Amino acid sequence: IIIVLYFSATRLDAYANDKSVEQVQRLLELELDKLADLSMEYGWWNEAVDMVAYQKDLEWAETNVGDYVQDRYNIKIVLAFGPGGELAYGRQNQEILQSAPTAVMTPEIADLIKKATDTDYSDPQPVSRIVSIDGAPALAAAATFAVYEPTERDLERSHGAIVFIRM
């Protein structure tokens, strides 16, 4: 009886562990999807494309992007790149960035940006994944800056990219 109980308990523990892992994976996937959707909301916003990617209006970016998403969505790092790949706006932990930090601009983040900007511009799709920032796990999402309705900006191309990172 003791042996049967032992093996039963071992199987139950393994089953519970497997279910816990599955639940955590589902929750992480859900958080990645929400972060990707948020990046797309900002990336596919004509005013953000103009004010951040082209005009590099720091006051507008702070009010409408950085300050808001950091407070509301617990985003630790915001990076917005212009059409030439230059940092148009950046913010990390309430601090405005002059350049993209080397610790953040990992090959994983560069690949995320490349995949986000290599998209069908009539229906741009954000990308997201778990990345490592300074050895710590983080959720990252990127979306291309794309205009969704006619403006003076070209509809069929990337105007840069926006990246949100949650540690």
Side-chain angles (χ1 to χ4, degrees), residues 1 10 14 29 35 45 76 85 95 112 144 157 159:
I1 293 176
T10 302
E29 288 170 7
L35 193 59
W45 179 16
K76 296 300 179 195
E95 181 182 325
L112 205 64
T144 189
R157 73 179 199 86
H159 298 278

Side-chain angles (χ1 to χ4, degrees), residues 48-137:
V49 171
D50 190 52
M51 298 300 285
V52 179
Y54 285 97
Q55 293 187 35
K56 297 175 180 60
D57 186 323
L58 184 61
E59 185 177 325
W60 190 95
E62 272 290 285
T63 302
N64 295 284
V65 183
D67 192 39
Y68 183 76
V69 298
Q70 282 194 326
D71 289 345
R72 173 122 177 142
Y73 298 103
N74 196 28
I75 304 299
K76 296 300 179 195
I77 302 167
V78 176
L79 301 172
F81 298 92
E86 74 286 356
L87 185 69
Y89 171 73
R91 186 173 185 178
Q92 182 175 8
N93 299 325
Q94 311 298 333
E95 181 182 325
I96 296 173
L97 302 172
Q98 300 303 315
S99 63
T102 306
V104 175
M105 285 308 298
T106 65
E108 292 173 306
I109 297 297
D111 185 56
L112 205 64
I113 293 167
K114 183 179 181 327
K115 286 181 179 175
T117 56
D118 186 21
T119 188
D120 171 8
Y121 297 106
S122 64
D123 185 24
Q125 295 300 310
V127 291
S128 62
R129 69 167 65 140
I130 298 172
V131 298
S132 177
I133 304 291
D134 263 348

